[in-house]
């Protein structure tokens, strides 16, 4: 039976790839003492174990899935490069670039002091800075160097060893430094700092319209009494600041669709939407609630909206809520770079954000016209756009020139990343093309990266154990140092040079290192989503620059 399985995996290597994924995704999320390996590292280790069977896989498989992954990365973060130029944007960009220099210099110096070969250096860089995508870029650059094939193979096999040994501390160490050590280094109470920042963002202010984040919105019917505070006044002025809206009015046998100018008369029956506690605690004691199914049968919807209009970019939710088109619209959630950010009155909206809106259909449709493009659930991806974007980017990346006899190019993967950045940004301007639904983008990211990692691990499997035995402990210690130096310094740089508020400082530090696990731990320590406000722009820059550094590392050590 065992011999049959070995022969089968050797004959059908695609089965070995999917077995690596199955094991990796089963083990990766499981937590031990609050931490987990993560899907990527678990898949790599599973692939290395399976690779001991001597399975040969075409390198073209690895390249194909990596280019899918890297295009998806660019497409996802592209909008932030332009839309992030808010009042905090320039500071976040400057901070990111300074820290990214440290993220390159630290592993380079550690690798030099440790006397590591090119492959181990590239792997240690990828693992210590938790940037899996750089493995593909580094591998492409090694393949372009003028060296014997066996030497190139040795370097390529060293990369996953360096990555696997250093990645775990790269993730866990970054999270501990930012969430636990970081606040102590600058002497702040992170939980209190987030509460203070939330107040400056209007967290305690009761506003109407768009900025209501409550999920429990209800629609109830009330009879209008002969009361001068209600009758004969525009409905927008009746209950100011209470987040309740008159949606429809029954006047005799007639049902009227209400707007802010609608005037009420005695004995009208009104359908009012709002937070349940507002309706129950405030309106119920004042008005007679009645049952009117026809009146309450208001078409409603919940829809994600991609923000594309320049006129609303950079505006706060508080400012958006003052517009007539925001009447009767409730904001449930804001997603930026696949991370949820807090909904507060002074939260700024950027192009490329996805807002989850709820309310009466006519109100939601009016809001969509002002905000951007409805990102409704669909099952299709614009494959022509996806494939053409990869081809165009790959052709640009394939162009190369020699510097000191060393061929330099973006590589096809670097070109695909650039194409994804540009096309992802263009979609926020003209969203009628290039449709890649959120679940499809997640699949491209996840499946593309992890199949690439599985092939790398299987191919490197035969020499992996010997490599770890040769450099394991030394590599682990140098990798931990390469992780800690830029993370510790980023806290001081962000606080004392760029003057970030502590509430968003640690989110920015996590973003520039693209470590979502660290952001999650920071938010848990802060008991707040506020740190996510600093994550988006640094993440967009870090994801791109750290990936390209994979090529730079190879050039430095070649």
């Amino acid at each position: 039976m065992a011999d049959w399985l070995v022969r089968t995996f050797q004959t059908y290597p695609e089965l070995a790839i999917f077995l690596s994924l199955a094991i990796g995704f089963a083990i990766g999320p499981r937590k031990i003492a609050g931490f987990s390996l993560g899907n990527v590292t678990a898949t790599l280790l599973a692939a290395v174990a399976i690779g001991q069977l001597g399975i040969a896989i075409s390198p073209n498989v690895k390249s194909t899935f990596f280019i899918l992954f890297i295009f998806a990365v660019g497409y996802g973060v592209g909008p932030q490069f332009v839309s992030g130029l808010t009042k905090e944007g320039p500071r976040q960009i400057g901070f990111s670039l300074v820290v990214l220099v440290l993220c390159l210099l630290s592993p380079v110096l550690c690798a030099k002091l440790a006397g590591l070969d090119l492959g181990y250096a590239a792997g240690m860089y990828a693992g210590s800075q938790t940037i899996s995508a750089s493995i593909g870029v580094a591998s492409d650059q090694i393949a372009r160097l003028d060296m014997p094939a066996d030497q190139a193979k040795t370097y390529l096999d060293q990369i996953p060893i360096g990555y696997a040994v250093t990645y775990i501390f790269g993730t866990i160490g970054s999270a501990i430094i930012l969430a636990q050590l970081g606040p102590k280094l600058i002497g702040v109470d992170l939980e209190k700092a987030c509460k203070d920042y939330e107040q400056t963002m209007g967290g305690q202010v009761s506003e109407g319209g768009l900025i209501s984040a409550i999920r429990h919105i209800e629609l109830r019917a009330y009879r209008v009494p002969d009361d001068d505070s209600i009758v004969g006044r525009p409905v927008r002025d009746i209950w100011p600041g209470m987040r309740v809206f008159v949606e429809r009015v029954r006047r005799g046998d007639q049902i009227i669709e209400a707007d802010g100018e609608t005037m009420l008369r005695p004995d009208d029956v009104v359908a009012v939407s709002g937070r349940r506690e507002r309706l129950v605690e405030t309106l119920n004691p004042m008005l007679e609630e009645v049952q009117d199914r026809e009146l309450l049968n208001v078409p409603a919807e919940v829809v994600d909206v991609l923000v594309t209009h320049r006129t609303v970019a950079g505006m706060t939710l508080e400012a958006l809520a003052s517009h007539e088109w925001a009447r009767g619209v409730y904001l449930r959630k804001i997603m930026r770079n696949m991370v949820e950010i807090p909904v507060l009155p002074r939260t700024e909206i950027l192009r490329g954000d996805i807002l989850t809106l709820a309310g009466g259909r006519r109100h939601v449709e009016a809001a969509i016209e002002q905000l951007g493009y409805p990102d409704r659930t669909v099952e299709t991806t614009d494959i022509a756009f996806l494939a053409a974007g990869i081809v165009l980017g790959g052709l640009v990346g394939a162009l190369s020139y020699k510097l000191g006899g060393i061929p330099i190019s973006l590589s096809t993967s670097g070109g695909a990343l650039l194409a994804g950045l540009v096309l992802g940004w263009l979609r926020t301007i003209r969203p009628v093309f290039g449709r890649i639904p959120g679940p499809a983008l997640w699949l491209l990211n996840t499946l593309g990266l992890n199949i690439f990692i599985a092939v790398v691990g299987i191919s490197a499997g035969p020499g992996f154990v010997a490599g770890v035995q040769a450099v394991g402990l030394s590599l682990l210690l140098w990798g931990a140092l390469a992780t800690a130096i830029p993370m510790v310094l980023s806290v001081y740089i962000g606080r004392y040079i760029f003057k970030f508020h502590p509430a968003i400082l640690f989110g920015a530090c996590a973003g520039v290192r693209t470590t979502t696990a660290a952001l999650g731990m920071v938010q848990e320590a802060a008991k707040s989503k506020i740190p996510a406000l600093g994550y988006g722009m640094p993440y967009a820059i870090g994801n791109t620059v750290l990936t390209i550094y994979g090529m730079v590392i190879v050039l430095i050590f070649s």
Side-chain angles (χ1 to χ4, degrees), residues 532-554:
L533 291 173
Y535 186 82
M537 172 59 77
Y539 174 85
I541 297 174
N543 221 330
T544 305
V545 176
L546 288 173
T547 299
I548 294 173
Y549 276 172
M551 175 185 69
V552 177
I553 290 285
V554 173

Side-chain angles (χ1 to χ4, degrees), residues 69-80 306 337 385-386 416-425 427-428 433-437 441 444-445:
F69 158 72
I70 206 69
F71 178 85
V73 168
Y75 181 91
V77 303
Q80 295 301 122
L306 175 69
N337 284 332
F385 166 86
L386 172 66
L417 174 64
L418 180 62
L421 289 169
V422 173
L423 294 174
W425 169 68
R427 176 166 160 74
T428 66
F433 71 94
R435 170 68 171 155
I436 303 180
L441 191 64
L444 290 173
N445 269 285

Side-chain angles (χ1 to χ4, degrees), residues 456-467:
V456 168
I458 291 171
S459 300
F464 190 91
V465 175

Side-chain angles (χ1 to χ4, degrees), residues 302-344:
V302 177
V303 63
D304 291 338
V305 180
L306 175 69
V307 177
T308 62
H309 290 182
R310 185 179 303 173
T311 53
V312 300
M315 292 181 65
T316 64
L317 295 178
E318 189 174 45
L320 291 177
S322 65
H323 290 276
E324 179 63 24
W325 53 261
R327 182 180 181 277
V329 179
Y330 300 89
L331 178 58
R332 289 189 170 185
K333 184 171 63 174
I334 306 173
M335 296 296 294
R336 183 175 296 166
N337 284 332
M338 292 185 284
V339 171
E340 184 176 351
I341 65 172
V343 177
L344 296 168

Side-chain angles (χ1 to χ4, degrees), residues 97-280:
L97 294 177
V98 170
V99 175
L100 285 167
V101 171
L102 297 175
C103 290
L104 174 64
L105 293 180
S106 179
V108 166
L109 290 175
C110 288
K112 290 283 188 182
L113 292 173
L116 297 179
D117 287 343
L118 187 159
Y120 289 129
M124 185 185 74
Y125 162 74
S128 66
Q129 307 308 305
T130 64
I131 186 70
S132 309
S134 69
I135 295 176
V137 176
S139 299
D140 285 348
Q141 186 60 40
I142 289 174
R144 285 171 169 73
L145 297 178
D146 186 15
M147 65 174 63
D150 58 341
Q151 182 64 66
K153 177 69 164 57
T154 298
Y155 287 151
L156 291 173
D157 287 347
Q158 290 173 349
I159 292 177
I161 298 173
Y163 174 84
V165 170
T166 59
Y167 179 84
I168 296 176
F169 184 85
T171 301
I172 297 175
S174 297
I176 293 174
I177 289 170
L178 293 181
Q180 304 298 331
L181 179 61
K184 293 182 176 65
L185 291 176
I186 58 175
V188 300
D189 182 332
L190 186 56
E191 183 177 349
K192 182 179 183 300
C194 288
K195 288 180 179 178
D196 292 344
Y197 193 82
E198 185 171 336
Q199 289 184 350
T200 69
M201 296 284 288
Q204 303 303 316
V205 179
S206 177
E207 299 286 349
L210 190 65
I211 63 174
S212 173
I214 297 296
R215 272 73 168 175
H216 305 295
I217 303 300
E218 290 190 358
L219 187 67
R220 296 191 173 202
Y222 298 94
R223 189 176 304 281
V224 177
D226 189 0
D227 185 335
D228 290 343
S229 66
I230 299 177
V231 172
R233 301 177 60 191
V235 293
R236 71 159 61 89
D237 299 333
I238 297 177
W239 301 295
M242 284 183 52
R243 301 182 183 180
V244 296
F245 303 95
V246 175
E247 302 282 350
R248 309 173 89 187
V249 179
R250 177 183 289 282
R251 186 164 294 158
D253 294 331
Q254 182 184 12
I255 292 181
I256 302 169
E257 300 294 337
D259 58 28
E261 297 293 335
T262 300
M263 303 280 193
L264 300 183
R265 300 176 185 174
D267 288 329
D268 283 348
V269 177
V270 292
V272 182
S273 69
R275 293 163 50 184
R276 183 180 185 278
E277 59 267 33
R278 285 294 189 189
L279 299 179
V280 171

